[in-house]
Amino acid sequence: SENVDDPSSGAGMGGIAPIIHGDRVYWHTTVGSDIGGVLNTQIVSTDMAAQGKIRLEESGVAYPVSLGDAVAAVRLEKLDGEGGEGDLNVPTLDDAQGIVLLNNDGTKTDLLKIAENAPSGSTFETFNGSGKALSFSFNGETFVVDTKSKNVIAFPEPQDSYLEGLAHCGDMVTWTYTDANGEGVGSQYVYDTKMQTLRAVKEPELFGSSLCQGEYLAWSVRDSSNDSALATDIVTQWKD
């Protein structure tokens, strides 16, 4: 916690999930400059066997995920003129400018950059990854990126809906969508990044959360048969 500001929102507080990559633990923090103004983000790590010594990995990034040979993160940048007087000015995913790979060999690769002429109001949301694949939502589409081949596939999102329950495990990516009222759109999607196939499982009572481990996928549905139960989990062993 040394030298870390404590904002109430944004990339510094809430939803911080440390990840394990190799023999290190990575997480992001929010820090303030010596002269005040806009806060910045950074990813730090510690060797699990090194008694807690912290190493700065990269500034201006947040939301790390572990891939096979790199840690991927979102570049965040407050643009000039953003934020009014008195605003906390905490970077969020709305300030995303792209994706960077912190490679195991110590090098860094800017994998993706959001174009300056991207449509006004475009938003970058819901970032995850595993193996060699990354996925995220941007401007009404769900993207899956192969970090090795640089191939990108995009799926149009249902109108007025949001990507929910994005989970990765090996070659599998699973997710669903909910509308503005938090109601599911009725399908759980499973994309195989190796085979490049997309399947949709019809689930009218989807609750919006997913989990993925090995070849087992799980998602939550409302239990219409039991008024006292909010949701129940469905677990399936997913095979081609």
Side-chain angles (χ1 to χ4, degrees), residues 130-133 168-173 190-195 214:
S130 69
K132 62 177 183 176
H168 272 249
C169 55
D171 295 327
M172 296 292 180
V173 188
V190 181
Y191 181 70
D192 187 321
T193 61
K194 183 178 181 180
M195 304 299 295

Side-chain angles (χ1 to χ4, degrees), residues 140 142 155-163 175-178 185 189:
T142 299
F155 303 104
E157 297 172 355
Q159 188 174 5
D160 299 323
S161 68
Y162 301 89
L163 180 63
W175 69 87
T176 188
Y177 300 105
T178 58
V185 300
Y189 296 92

Side-chain angles (χ1 to χ4, degrees), residues 23-25 27 44-57:
D23 59 357
R24 303 188 69 83
V25 181
W27 68 97
V44 296
S45 72
T46 184
D47 188 327
M48 289 187 288
Q51 299 182 345
K53 184 177 181 181
I54 294 176
R55 182 175 78 192
L56 173 63
E57 298 290 342

Side-chain angles (χ1 to χ4, degrees), residues 3 14 26 31 40 49 55 70 79 85 87 90 95 104 110 112 129 138 140 145 157 162 169 182 194 218 238:
N3 301 319
Y26 294 75
V31 294
N40 194 13
R55 182 175 78 192
L79 301 179
E85 184 177 353
D87 286 351
V90 181
D95 304 300
N104 289 352
D110 279 309
L112 180 148
F138 179 74
V145 180
E157 297 172 355
Y162 301 89
C169 55
K194 183 178 181 180
W238 194 270

Side-chain angles (χ1 to χ4, degrees), residues 70-154:
V71 171
V74 180
R75 283 205 181 277
L76 303 179
E77 180 183 353
K78 282 286 187 180
L79 301 179
D80 292 340
E82 285 189 346
E85 184 177 353
D87 286 351
L88 194 57
N89 283 334
V90 181
T92 68
L93 277 176
D94 290 339
D95 304 300
Q97 301 300 306
I99 297 172
V100 63
L101 301 180
L102 310 179
N103 302 307
N104 289 352
D105 61 7
T107 62
K108 300 177 178 65
T109 304
D110 279 309
L111 177 71
L112 180 148
K113 292 184 179 180
I114 297 176
E116 293 182 0
N117 61 349
S120 176
S122 299
T123 56
F124 187 104
E125 301 172 352
T126 317
F127 179 64
N128 208 336
S130 69
K132 62 177 183 176
L134 292 171
S135 55
F136 56 90
S137 174
F138 179 74
N139 200 28
E141 293 183 284
T142 299
F143 290 85
V144 181
V145 180
D146 187 318
T147 60
K148 295 302 182 184
S149 68
K150 305 300 191 295
N151 287 334
V152 180
I153 188 167

